[in-house]
Amino acid sequence: MSQTDIADTQAAIANTRDKLVDGLRTSINDAEKWLEESADDVSEAASEARARFDDTLRTAISDLRKLEDSILAHSREAAQNVDTYVHDNPWKAVTIGATVGLLLGVLISRK
C-alpha cells in the first residue's frame, strides 16, 4: 500500500468520523430539546419514558466525549508517526509531497 493510498484512507476515515460526530451532536441536541419540551407532561408513563430517555441521552453524551477523545488521541499518534517518518526519510517525504502536488496540479488544470 503506497503512502498516497494510506493518506486517502486516513482522510476518508477522518471524514466519516466527522460526519458521525456531527450526527451524534445533532441527535443529542434534538433529544435535549425534546426533553425540555416534554417536561410539562406529568403523566406516570411520560415521566418514566423521560427518565429512560434522559439516561440514554447521558450515555450518548458520554460516548460522544469518549469518541472525541479517541479521535484526538489517534490524530496525535498519526501526526507523530508522520513526523517520525519525515525525519527518518526526508527525501522520500519530499518526493511524495512533490508527486501529490503534481497530481493535484494536473487534476485542477483539467477542470
Side-chain angles (χ1 to χ4, degrees):
M1 183 175 236
S2 71
Q3 293 296 327
T4 306
D5 292 339
I6 292 170
D8 291 343
T9 302
Q10 288 174 340
I13 290 170
N15 187 25
T16 302
R17 283 183 187 156
D18 290 343
K19 287 180 182 180
L20 175 64
V21 169
D22 288 343
L24 282 172
R25 281 192 181 134
T26 301
S27 297
I28 288 170
N29 288 338
D30 291 346
E32 287 174 336
K33 287 178 187 176
W34 178 84
L35 207 58
E36 290 173 6
E37 291 172 0
S38 67
D40 295 336
D41 191 356
V42 291
S43 70
E44 184 177 329
S47 295
E48 188 177 313
R50 264 195 315 276
R52 284 193 313 251
F53 187 73
D54 189 44
D55 289 341
T56 303
L57 181 58
R58 289 179 196 279
T59 302
I61 291 170
S62 173
D63 290 346
L64 178 59
R65 288 186 182 135
K66 288 177 188 175
L67 178 63
E68 288 175 333
D69 291 343
S70 173
I71 290 170
L72 287 174
H74 287 295
S75 297
R76 286 186 192 118
E77 183 180 338
Q80 289 173 346
N81 289 338
V82 168
D83 186 54
T84 301
Y85 180 81
V86 169
H87 280 50
D88 292 345
N89 305 292
W91 288 110
K92 285 183 182 178
V94 168
T95 303
I96 290 169
T99 303
V100 169
L102 179 65
L103 290 174
L104 286 174
V106 169
L107 290 174
I108 290 171
S109 68
R110 285 186 171 182
K111 294 179 182 181

